[in-house]
């Protein structure tokens, strides 16, 4: 077995093929198939030996090479078929891989010339068509085997040496650079450039590899400038895919083409070679500065032909042409494959590092390539670009200062170009410029390759945003282009914040600030790039950016125009970066660990938060018209990139001869956007809270009122911004929920409201702020509500003549009662009154028996019994009961016991109710309605001992409200009566049937008459009500039906009244009635059926015509009530 693996066995296997191959070396039609078969077998044997790492000795290689050379000698090269030549070259390529270590220079040259002739078509010149692509691939592969570098690990000899591979390849290089061999090398280079543009991908790939080897290692230094134009032109076409139909060249093709260009550029115009030949001077120290500029140049003419001397004039011309060629590679930044992008990043890095002095014109272009690739979606590409940029800026690179200055200049140029790009609606260019600036800033942050970051970039950006950065100059042009659009108005019954408040207000809400929309930016990616750019500038500059932030805030506080809004937006983003805070949709709800913040930043945040709180109540007017024009710095046309056309000799044309020309209209003033201005100020507050964190608590005295004031805004956008600000402040200040924050600082809020309800400072929105404060705190407001109630009643006494103030204060009291009522723990559990529901037997036989019993005794005289009493009069004789007579003077009355048993919530509600009854007769209808609704909310909370006396006292006024001219007041009164009927039905028995029902009946009659002449009424047979659910009649119908439903469920029935209700409300079961009224009517009849199911069935059946006899008069064919009857009777 070991013998089979030895050299002797390998030789025997090769001999068995080489001997017959030598016999068929003369190619004839009969011997060609045999030669092809033997060449294939020889190639397979060589591949097996190579895969098994079995070395081939030089005699063995010479033995195998002999039949191959015989075929080439005995046959004219032009007459050898392509297939035979391809297999000969394949075997030769396998031999050269092992022969390279000991190959004779003459043999190396002959094989090289053979492959070059086949690739260039010299072997068949004048013989017809060229060789096929596969043969050219085999010839190029053989060239690759001759030219590629080897590593010491590839040396399979018995005694490998570390320096053997460099020694061998240096010998081949020396021979290739001789004057005799240089024309052959040039011709081969030309053939490879043509093959690199071939559409055949295997030939293109191997040609590019051989080109990189020849240009990178074999061409003489003086010869590279001569071939540079052709190489750059050809490789540019290959990299850009000029001859491909799909638009992009393959990623590996692009990478190889860029590698060839890299070798050619670095070897032709690299700093080292150009300095050595005197084309440029390297000024690294003072000695270089005072040295003779011509001492390093060589004045003698080159002795070797084909050599181009590097001179200053040649360098200037070549560099300009190279810049044009490299600028054409800009589309490769968007190449879809990461291989091509990695190749572009490596090309830019190598060329930038090697040509820092010689190619200053292309330095910004190459850096921009790396900056663009730094934000690539491919992680490998982004990491490589970041590492490359940090390497070229490292301390070991002598040209880092030039590159650093170029980086900062790129940042300034892109920042200055943003206004022009924004005004031209070029979203892609805006996004590109923003990404470039953000990439430059990110280099200042530490990384694995640069643990301390590049501090020079931080200093440069800090200077740009600092006192000497001329923000007054570039800031105005930027603000003029950053224009925001007012958010669309969403017509809803409640704001977005109110919808959140209707849920559990004590639960934490992780709300993000609503997104703004720029007028001149349409794409979402461009907007996010601008945000990222400003954050990166702030994070890089650190405390130095506070000057720019303060300047933007000063501009914003001087008005409410679009420019002021843009200034606030810029200040927010810069301060986010400086404080490492994020208020976007992707911001985490929990505070993040940010680097240590300086005292300067914290002091600035405190001053800014206090300033916003103190100036919140300033009138929302545009203050910019009060500023003199001189205060607005104007830049010249060159700086703003504005084309100015000077026109002279204009002739005035008048429409009417002799008429006076009209004066030109004044320029339109910038739109005022106070809502966006307030929303962005709220964002600034949340950012300052994120910077200060727990140290923000003392500032809540100044900042809570602006946040709460934003929540009550009519604008959904501002309201959502305020909710997001409240949530952010809660998280940053380390509170569990907004309710906990407000409860802990309730005195601050109450003090802010009190100061705005004084004679010196009266704010009508202060009462709404107090109401939303109560709503946000929730059930725990009872602990602080005593102060709120006292404050409200004190202000009611003081401002009782101001309708708006009274309405707001009553709204606060109503909110307090509503919050108490919504807490299930505060609701009383009352026993159902006896006789409220009469149980009906389910057995039909028992029902017939009960009916017969009633029919037999229907004319019997009823016994006089005491009528059902209610609690409106005393049940016992006036005076103290006898059992309490001996209680002594120190005993407590039952009323005192009841008072003592009251909970804090009940005591507070009783106080509010007792002191609010007087407003039932207020002149303002909305105040009367609020009082009625507040009483309705208090009914489930108060015990009868506290509730009924107040209701009894206010009952005449409540009845008068049923005759109010305003529909919403009547609805509110009906809601109160419904709540009373539900919870204290015995008390409401006489009041419902003797006082309320007659008024309802009169309302029904008037509404029926009004609907008959109303243009909003439904048209059709038996139609009832109106088409819309927002008319007065519809709302009154709904209130009456719902009140009677509550009475049917909670108040003892009267047969005569129930019959009347059953008759009058049948029309609302008609299928042409509004769906809401149909549903309410079904609820009413379902409640009545629980008291007297027979009467409901009789009325329904008679109405549909299913009952004859005395009840036939109830039939109403114009009403289709079958569907609703089936639902009521569950038929």
């Amino acid at each position: 077995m070991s013998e089979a693996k030895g050299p002797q066995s390998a030789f025997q296997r090769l001999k068995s093929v080489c001997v017959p191959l030598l016999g068929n070396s003369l190619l004839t039609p009969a011997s060609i198939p045999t030669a092809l078969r033997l060449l294939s077998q020889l190639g397979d044997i060589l591949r097996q030996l190579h895969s098994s790492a079995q070395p081939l000795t030089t005699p063995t290689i010479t033995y195998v090479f002999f039949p191959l050379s015989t075929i080439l000698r005995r046959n004219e090269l032009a007459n050898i078929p392509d297939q035979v030549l391809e297999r000969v070259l394949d075997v030769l390529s396998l031999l050269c891989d092992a022969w390279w270590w000991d190959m004779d220079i003459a043999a190396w040259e002959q094989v090289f010339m053979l492959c070059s002739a086949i690739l260039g078509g010299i072997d068949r010149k004048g013989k017809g068509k060229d060789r096929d692509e596969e043969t050219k691939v085999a010839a190029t592969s053989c060239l690759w085997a001759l030219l590629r570098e080897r590593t010491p690990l590839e040396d399979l000899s018995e005694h490998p040496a570390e320096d053997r591979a460099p020694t061998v390849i240096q010998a081949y290089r020396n021979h290739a650079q001789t004057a005799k061999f240089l024309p052959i090398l040039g011709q081969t280079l030309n053939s490879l450039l043509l093959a690199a543009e071939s559409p055949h991908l295997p030939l293109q790939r191997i040609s590019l590899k051989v080109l990189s080897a020849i240009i990178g290692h074999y061409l003489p230094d003086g010869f590279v400038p001569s071939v540079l134009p052709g190489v750059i032109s050809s490789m540019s076409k290959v990299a850009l895919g000029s001859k491909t139909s799909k638009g992009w060249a393959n990623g590996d093709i692009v990478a190889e083409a860029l590698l060839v260009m890299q070798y050619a550029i670095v070897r032709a115009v690299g700093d080292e070679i150009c300095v050595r030949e005197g084309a440029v001077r390297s000024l690294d120290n003072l000695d270089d500065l005072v040295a003779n500029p011509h001492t390093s140049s060589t004045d003698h003419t080159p002795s070797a032909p084909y050599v181009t001397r590097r001179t200053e004039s040649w360098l200037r011309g070549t560099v300009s042409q190279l810049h044009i060629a490299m600028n054409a590679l800009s589309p490769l930044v968007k190449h879809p494959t990461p291989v091509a992008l990695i190749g572009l990043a490596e090309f830019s890095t190598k060329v930038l590092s090697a040509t820092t002095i010689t190619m200053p014109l292309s330095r910004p272009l190459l850096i921009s390539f790396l900056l663009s690739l730094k934000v690539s979606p491919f992680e490998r590409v982004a990491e490589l670009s970041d590492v490359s940029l940090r390497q070229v800026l490292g301390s070991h690179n002598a040209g880092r200062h030039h590159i650093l200055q170029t980086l900062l200049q790129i940042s300034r140029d892109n920042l200055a170009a943003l206004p022009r790009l924004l005004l031209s609606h070029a979203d892609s260019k805006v996004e590109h410029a923003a990404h470039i600036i953000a990439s430059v800033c990110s280099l200042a942050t530490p990384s694995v390759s640069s643990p301390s970051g590049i501090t020079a970039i931080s200093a440069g950006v800090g200077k740009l945003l600092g006192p000497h950065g001329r923000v007054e100059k570039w800031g105005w042009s930027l603000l003029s282009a950053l224009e925001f659009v007012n958010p669309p108005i969403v017509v809803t019954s409640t704001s977005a914040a109110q919808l959140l408040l209707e849920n559990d207000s004590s639960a934490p809400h992780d709300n993000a600030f609503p997104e703004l929309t720029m007028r001149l930016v349409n794409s979402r990616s461009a907007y996010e790039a601008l945000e990222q750019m400003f954050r990166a500038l702030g994070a890089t500059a650190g405390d130095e950016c506070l000057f720019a932030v303060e300047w933007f805030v000063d501009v914003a506080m001087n008005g409410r125009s679009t420019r002021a809004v843009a200034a606030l937006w810029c200040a927010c983003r810069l301060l986010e970066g400086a404080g490492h805070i994020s208020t976007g949709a992707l911001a985490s709800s929990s505070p993040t660990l940010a680097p240590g913040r300086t005292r300067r930043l914290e002091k600035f945040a405190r001053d800014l938060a206090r300033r916003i709180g103190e100036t919140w109540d300033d009138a929302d007017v545009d203050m910019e018209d009060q500023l003199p024009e001189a205060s607005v710095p104007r830049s010249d046309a060159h700086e703003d990139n504005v084309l100015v056309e000077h026109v002279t000799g204009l002739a005035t044309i008048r429409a009417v001869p002799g008429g006076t020309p009209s004066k030109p209209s004044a320029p339109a003033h910038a739109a005022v956007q106070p809502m966006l201005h307030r929303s962005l100020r709220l964002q600034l507050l949340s950012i300052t809270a994120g910077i200060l964190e727990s140290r923000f608590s003392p500032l809540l005295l100044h900042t809570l009122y602006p946040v709460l004031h934003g929540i009550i805004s009519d604008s959904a956008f501002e309201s959502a911004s305020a909710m997001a600000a409240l949530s952010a402040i809660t998280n940053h200040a380390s509170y569990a929920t907004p309710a906990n924050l407000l409860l802990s600082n309730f005195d601050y809020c109450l003090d802010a409201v009190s100061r705005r309800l004084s004679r010196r400072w009266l704010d009508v929105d202060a009462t709404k702020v107090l109401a939303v404060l109560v709503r946000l705190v929730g059930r725990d407001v009872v602990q602080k509500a005593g102060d709120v109630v006292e404050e409200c009643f004190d202000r009611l006494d003081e401002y009782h003549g101001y309708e708006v103030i009274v309405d707001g204060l009553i709204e606060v009291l109503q909110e307090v009662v509503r919050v108490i009522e919504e807490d299930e723990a505060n609701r009383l559990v009352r026993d159902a009154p006896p006789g409220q529901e009469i149980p009906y037997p389910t057995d039909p036989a028992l029902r017939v028996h009960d009916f017969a019993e009633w029919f037999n005794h229907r004319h019997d005289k009823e016994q006089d019994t005491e009528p059902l009493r209610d609690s409106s009069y005393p049940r016992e004789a006036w005076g103290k009961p006898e059992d309490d007579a001996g209680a002594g003077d120190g005993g407590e009355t039952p009323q005192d016991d009841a008072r003592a048993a009251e909970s804090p919530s009940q005591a507070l509600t009783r106080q509010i109710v007792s002191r609010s009854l007087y407003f039932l007769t207020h002149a303002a209808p909305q105040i009367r309605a609020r009082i009625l609704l507040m009483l309705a909310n208090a009914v489930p909370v108060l015990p009868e001992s506290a509730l009924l006396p107040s209701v009894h006292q206010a009952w005449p006024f409540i009845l008068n409200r049923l005759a109010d001219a305003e529909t919403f007041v009547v609805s509110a009164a009906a809601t109160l009566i419904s709540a009373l009927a539900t919870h204290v039905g015995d008390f409401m028995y006489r009041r419902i049937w003797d006082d309320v029902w007659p008024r309802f009946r009169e309302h029904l009659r008037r509404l029926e008459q009004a609907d008959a002449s109303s243009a909003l009424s439904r048209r059709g047979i038996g139609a009832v009500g109106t088409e819309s659910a927002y008319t007065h009649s519809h709302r009154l119908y709904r209130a009456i039906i719902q009140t009677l439903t509550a009475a049917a469920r909670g108040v003892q029935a009267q047969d005569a009244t129930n019959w009347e209700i059953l008759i009058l409300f049948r029309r609302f079961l008609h299928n042409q009635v509004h769906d809401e009224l149909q549903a309410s009517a079904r609820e009413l009849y379902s409640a009545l059926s629980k008291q007297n199911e027979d009467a409901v069935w009789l009325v329904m059946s008679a109405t549909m015509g299913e009952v004859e006899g005395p009840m036939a008069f109830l039939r109403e064919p114009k009403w289709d009530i079958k569907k609703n009857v089936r639902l009521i009777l569950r038929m």
Side-chain angles (χ1 to χ4, degrees):
M1 195 68 173
S2 59
E3 294 178 357
K5 293 183 179 180
Q8 192 66 24
S9 175
F11 177 76
Q12 295 298 329
R13 294 173 61 191
L14 292 172
K15 180 180 178 181
S16 63
V17 177
C18 290
V19 171
L21 179 61
L22 184 61
N24 293 274
S25 59
L26 183 61
L27 298 178
T28 61
S31 63
I32 287 177
T34 304
L36 287 174
R37 178 177 57 80
L38 294 172
L39 287 171
S40 298
Q41 292 178 3
L42 183 59
D44 293 339
I45 294 172
L46 291 175
R47 291 187 186 92
Q48 292 174 6
L49 294 174
H50 178 73
S51 61
S52 62
Q54 186 171 348
L56 293 176
T57 60
T58 303
T60 304
I61 295 174
T62 307
Y63 180 81
V64 176
F65 179 70
F66 181 73
L68 300 178
S69 61
T70 303
I71 294 176
L72 297 174
R73 285 196 307 269
R74 297 186 66 184
N75 303 278
E76 189 178 352
L77 189 58
N79 297 329
I80 299 177
D82 289 345
Q83 290 185 352
V84 175
L85 188 58
E86 176 188 354
R87 297 189 186 183
V88 168
L89 291 171
D90 285 338
V91 174
L92 194 58
S93 175
L94 293 172
L95 281 179
C96 289
D97 271 335
W99 198 8
W100 183 86
W101 298 93
D102 302 298
M103 197 174 190
D104 184 65
I105 293 295
W108 184 89
E109 179 180 352
Q110 292 299 317
V111 175
F112 187 98
M113 294 174 60
L114 170 67
C115 296
S116 177
I118 296 173
L119 182 62
I122 301 176
D123 62 323
R124 305 192 71 174
K125 190 173 182 180
K127 298 291 184 180
K129 66 177 183 177
D130 293 339
R131 298 286 184 181
D132 58 15
E133 305 293 343
E134 288 75 12
T135 305
K136 292 182 179 181
V137 170
T140 313
S141 299
C142 189
L143 281 176
W144 175 245
L146 292 174
L147 298 174
R148 73 178 182 89
E149 285 187 285
R150 265 69 169 181
T151 63
L153 296 178
E154 296 181 67
D155 188 2
L156 301 179
S157 61
E158 296 181 359
H159 304 287
E162 290 290 336
D163 59 344
R164 188 183 179 194
T167 303
V168 173
I169 196 172
Q170 187 60 41
Y172 295 145
R173 288 174 184 169
N174 294 336
H175 181 73
Q177 294 176 4
T178 59
K180 177 182 177 182
F181 194 81
L182 199 56
I184 301 172
L185 199 60
Q187 181 61 41
T188 306
L189 183 66
N190 181 65
S191 303
L192 288 170
L193 289 175
L194 295 176
E197 299 182 25
S198 170
H200 190 62
L201 290 180
L203 178 59
Q204 194 176 28
R205 289 190 180 96
I206 192 63
S207 298
L208 291 172
K209 293 173 68 175
V210 177
L211 274 172
S212 63
I214 291 177
I215 297 176
H217 307 291
Y218 288 89
L219 288 182
D221 290 338
F223 188 68
V224 175
S226 302
V227 300
L228 179 65
V231 172
I232 297 300
S233 175
S234 179
M235 292 301 102
S236 298
K237 297 176 184 178
V238 174
L240 294 173
S242 303
K243 295 185 178 181
T244 59
S245 58
K246 58 183 180 180
W248 292 108
N250 287 5
D252 56 343
I253 299 295
V254 174
E256 290 293 339
L258 291 175
L259 181 62
V260 175
M261 292 181 66
Q262 169 194 321
Y263 284 142
I265 293 173
V266 171
R267 295 200 61 195
V269 295
D271 292 342
E272 183 179 354
I273 186 67
C274 289
V275 169
R276 188 168 63 246
E277 295 190 7
V280 291
R281 297 177 62 195
S282 176
L283 303 178
D284 294 334
N285 48 51
L286 294 178
D287 294 336
D288 295 336
L289 187 62
V290 299
N292 186 357
H294 302 287
T295 55
S296 60
S297 61
T298 55
D299 296 329
H300 60 277
T301 57
S303 57
Y306 316 112
V307 173
T308 301
R309 182 183 173 189
R310 295 173 177 85
T311 61
E312 293 183 4
S313 59
W314 171 86
L315 183 62
R316 284 195 298 269
T318 302
V319 166
S320 62
Q321 295 299 317
L322 283 176
H323 179 72
I324 296 174
M326 287 191 294
N327 193 34
L329 299 177
S330 299
L332 292 179
V333 176
K334 301 294 183 181
H335 200 281
T337 61
V339 177
L341 299 180
I342 290 175
L344 180 60
E346 293 176 347
F347 167 80
S348 303
T349 304
K350 297 297 184 182
V351 175
L352 181 63
S353 301
T355 61
T356 306
I357 304 175
T358 56
M359 297 180 63
L361 187 64
S362 301
R363 196 185 304 145
L365 177 64
L366 296 172
I367 294 177
S368 66
F369 286 167
L370 291 174
L371 292 174
S372 300
L373 295 175
K374 194 174 181 300
V375 293
S376 171
F378 301 106
E379 185 176 355
R380 288 187 301 160
V381 178
E383 290 180 356
L384 177 62
S385 302
D386 182 75
V387 172
S388 300
L389 282 169
R390 294 178 187 273
Q391 286 179 352
V392 298
L393 291 170
S395 57
H396 62 279
N397 189 359
R400 64 184 183 277
H401 301 293
H402 302 287
I403 299 174
L404 181 61
Q405 292 298 325
T406 304
L407 269 176
L408 296 178
Q409 188 61 41
I410 287 174
S411 302
R412 297 189 188 97
D413 294 343
N414 282 277
L415 190 60
L418 274 179
R420 175 175 53 82
L421 298 177
L422 287 168
L423 293 174
S424 62
H425 297 272
D427 287 359
S428 60
K429 295 181 179 179
V430 169
E431 183 178 357
H432 175 74
H435 281 319
I436 291 294
I437 298 175
S439 298
V440 173
C441 294
S442 65
L443 294 175
T445 59
S447 69
V448 177
S449 58
S450 181
S452 60
I454 302 173
T455 57
I457 293 180
S458 300
V461 177
K463 182 179 179 181
L464 177 66
L465 299 179
H468 304 290
R470 305 178 70 184
V471 65
E472 303 87 352
K473 189 173 184 179
W474 57 263
W476 280 107
S477 59
L478 184 62
L479 294 181
S480 63
L482 291 175
E483 185 177 352
F484 291 88
V485 180
N486 286 320
I489 299 176
V490 181
V491 181
T492 57
S493 58
T494 54
S495 65
Q498 183 65 26
L499 293 177
L500 290 175
L501 294 176
E502 288 180 357
N503 299 323
D504 184 9
S505 61
S506 63
H509 299 289
D510 299 332
N511 306 317
F513 282 92
E515 298 176 357
L516 294 169
T517 303
M518 287 186 177
R519 186 181 301 277
L520 302 177
V521 176
N522 297 322
S523 66
R524 176 65 188 164
S525 59
Y527 178 80
E528 290 178 349
L530 286 173
E531 282 190 324
Q532 182 184 2
M533 178 196 74
F534 277 101
R535 291 194 186 101
L537 287 172
T540 304
D543 291 351
E544 297 300 325
C545 78
L546 297 182
F547 179 84
V549 175
E550 186 175 6
W551 184 85
F552 282 122
V553 172
D554 290 339
V555 172
M557 292 303 180
N558 286 330
R560 303 293 183 267
S561 66
T562 55
R563 181 173 292 174
V565 171
L568 270 180
W569 184 83
C570 294
C572 287
R573 305 290 83 81
L574 286 175
L575 196 57
E576 280 180 359
H580 303 279
I581 304 296
S582 179
T583 60
L586 299 179
S588 175
S589 60
S590 58
T592 56
L593 295 177
R597 301 182 177 99
T598 62
R599 291 185 178 181
R600 180 184 174 187
L601 178 61
E602 293 184 353
K603 182 179 182 300
F604 180 84
R606 280 193 297 269
D607 295 340
L608 180 59
R610 188 178 292 108
R611 180 181 181 182
I612 293 174
E614 292 173 352
T615 60
W616 182 262
D617 297 290
D618 292 349
D620 289 327
V621 295
D622 189 6
M623 304 295 294
E624 290 189 353
D625 54 353
Q626 301 178 7
L627 294 176
E629 291 186 1
S631 64
V632 181
R634 300 184 180 276
S635 54
D636 54 69
H638 176 71
E639 292 168 346
D640 283 347
N641 297 321
V642 178
L643 297 178
V644 179
E645 181 181 6
H646 299 278
V647 181
T648 59
L650 293 179
T652 303
I653 300 177
R654 299 177 181 176
V656 180
T660 303
S662 60
K663 296 181 179 180
S665 59
H669 199 277
V672 180
Q673 298 175 317
M675 182 267 296
L676 289 181
H677 198 274
R678 290 191 296 269
S679 300
L680 286 170
R681 278 187 285 170
L682 291 171
Q683 283 196 29
L684 267 180
L685 280 180
S686 65
I687 296 170
T688 57
I691 294 173
L692 296 173
E693 294 181 341
S694 60
R695 293 179 291 277
F696 189 77
S697 297
L699 295 171
L700 294 174
L701 175 64
H702 307 280
T703 57
L704 275 181
Y705 185 85
V707 175
L708 295 175
H709 186 269
I711 293 177
I712 65 171
S713 173
D714 296 333
S715 168
F717 187 90
E718 182 180 352
S719 183
S721 298
M723 287 298 297
L726 180 60
S727 176
I729 293 173
T730 300
N731 292 329
H732 293 310
S734 302
Y735 285 94
T737 61
N740 291 346
L741 169 69
L742 296 175
L743 184 62
S744 300
N745 300 275
F746 197 90
D747 294 338
Y748 287 170
C749 302
L750 191 57
D751 177 71
V753 173
S754 300
R755 286 188 284 108
R756 287 166 173 81
L757 288 177
S758 62
R759 293 185 180 276
R760 184 182 62 86
W761 188 2
L762 186 59
D763 185 2
V764 294
D765 290 336
T767 55
K768 297 181 180 180
V769 170
L770 191 55
V772 78
L773 171 64
V774 172
R775 184 66 174 171
L776 282 167
V777 174
R779 66 176 67 182
D780 295 328
V781 76
V782 179
Q783 304 173 18
K784 304 287 186 179
D787 298 336
V788 177
V789 173
E790 290 298 330
E791 181 72 22
C792 290
F793 283 113
D794 290 345
R795 295 299 182 265
L796 284 173
D797 294 339
E798 190 173 359
Y799 300 109
H800 60 273
Y802 297 91
E803 181 180 317
V804 177
I805 302 298
V806 173
D807 179 55
L809 293 171
I810 295 298
E811 181 184 2
V812 176
L813 296 175
Q814 180 188 359
E815 197 64 47
V816 172
V817 177
R818 182 185 301 168
V819 168
I820 295 174
E821 186 265 339
E822 288 177 352
D823 190 358
E824 294 291 340
N826 294 327
R827 296 186 181 182
L828 296 176
V829 179
R830 293 185 171 92
D831 298 332
Q836 183 176 353
E837 296 183 4
I838 303 175
Y840 275 76
T842 56
D843 190 358
L846 295 177
R847 292 188 178 189
V848 174
H849 178 270
D850 291 343
F851 174 75
E853 185 69 21
W854 171 83
F855 186 80
N856 293 331
H857 298 282
R858 69 185 187 280
H859 296 299
D860 293 350
K861 185 177 181 181
E862 296 183 0
Q863 297 180 359
D864 294 335
T865 58
E866 182 182 3
L868 183 65
R869 301 179 300 172
D870 55 32
S871 58
S872 61
Y873 56 88
R875 299 174 182 268
E876 304 295 340
W878 294 102
K880 186 180 295 184
E882 294 180 1
D883 53 352
D884 293 341
D889 295 337
E892 296 182 356
T893 63
Q895 184 177 5
D896 294 336
D897 294 339
R899 290 282 181 86
E902 284 182 342
S903 65
S905 301
Q906 293 174 347
L908 185 64
T909 307
R910 178 180 53 79
Q911 179 188 4
I912 296 174
V913 170
S914 62
R915 299 180 64 177
S916 303
L917 295 178
Y918 306 101
F919 292 96
L920 282 172
T921 58
H922 199 278
Q926 66 270 17
I927 296 177
R928 299 195 297 267
R930 289 192 187 279
I931 295 297
L932 291 169
L933 294 175
M934 183 181 66
L935 292 175
N937 291 330
V939 169
V941 177
L942 291 177
E944 295 183 5
S945 60
L947 173 67
L948 298 185
S950 299
V951 175
H952 178 70
Q953 178 186 356
W955 185 249
F957 310 113
I958 297 174
L959 290 178
N960 290 339
R961 299 287 73 79
L962 290 176
D964 203 290
E966 298 293 340
T967 306
F968 63 90
V969 179
V970 179
S971 300
T975 302
L976 173 59
I977 295 172
S978 174
L980 291 170
T982 300
H983 295 279
V984 285
D986 289 345
F987 176 77
M988 294 298 295
Y989 174 73
R990 290 293 181 188
R991 289 173 170 78
I992 289 288
W993 306 128
D994 296 346
D995 299 335
V996 177
W997 168 242
R999 288 172 170 79
F1000 279 176
R1001 185 170 51 202
E1002 181 64 19
H1003 274 302
L1004 291 174
R1005 184 184 63 80
R1006 292 179 181 177
L1007 288 174
E1008 186 176 6
Q1009 294 177 357
D1011 288 345
S1013 59
S1014 175
L1016 300 176
S1017 300
R1018 289 176 176 264
R1019 297 291 179 255
I1021 300 176
V1024 180
T1026 58
E1027 295 285 349
S1028 174
Y1030 301 100
T1031 59
H1032 294 293
S1033 63
H1034 180 93
R1035 292 175 177 176
L1036 278 179
Y1037 281 140
R1038 182 182 59 195
I1040 292 172
I1041 296 174
Q1042 291 177 352
T1043 304
L1044 292 177
T1045 302
R1049 291 171 176 169
V1051 180
Q1052 186 175 351
Q1054 284 187 351
D1055 291 340
T1057 306
N1058 277 7
W1059 181 262
E1060 191 175 2
I1061 293 174
L1062 289 171
I1063 298 300
L1064 288 178
F1065 287 89
R1066 292 176 299 165
R1067 51 182 171 162
F1068 296 105
L1069 297 175
H1070 183 34
N1071 62 1
Q1072 296 298 320
V1073 179
H1074 196 280
D1075 293 339
E1076 187 178 11
L1077 294 181
Q1078 289 188 55
S1080 300
R1082 288 196 299 268
E1083 292 290 332
L1084 173 61
Y1085 280 92
S1086 298
L1088 291 174
S1089 66
K1090 295 181 179 179
Q1091 296 181 352
N1092 196 336
E1093 187 178 12
D1094 294 333
V1096 174
W1097 173 83
L1098 181 61
V1099 171
M1100 299 290 100
S1101 300
T1103 303
M1104 292 187 296
E1106 297 177 358
V1107 176
E1108 302 294 339
M1111 305 305 296
F1113 72 95
L1114 293 176
R1115 183 173 182 271
E1116 290 290 348
K1118 63 181 178 180
W1119 294 337
D1120 184 4
I1121 64 173
K1122 292 182 180 180
K1123 178 181 178 181
N1124 288 317
V1125 168
R1126 284 196 299 268
L1127 294 175
I1128 294 170
L1129 300 179
R1130 298 179 180 87
M1131 298 173 60

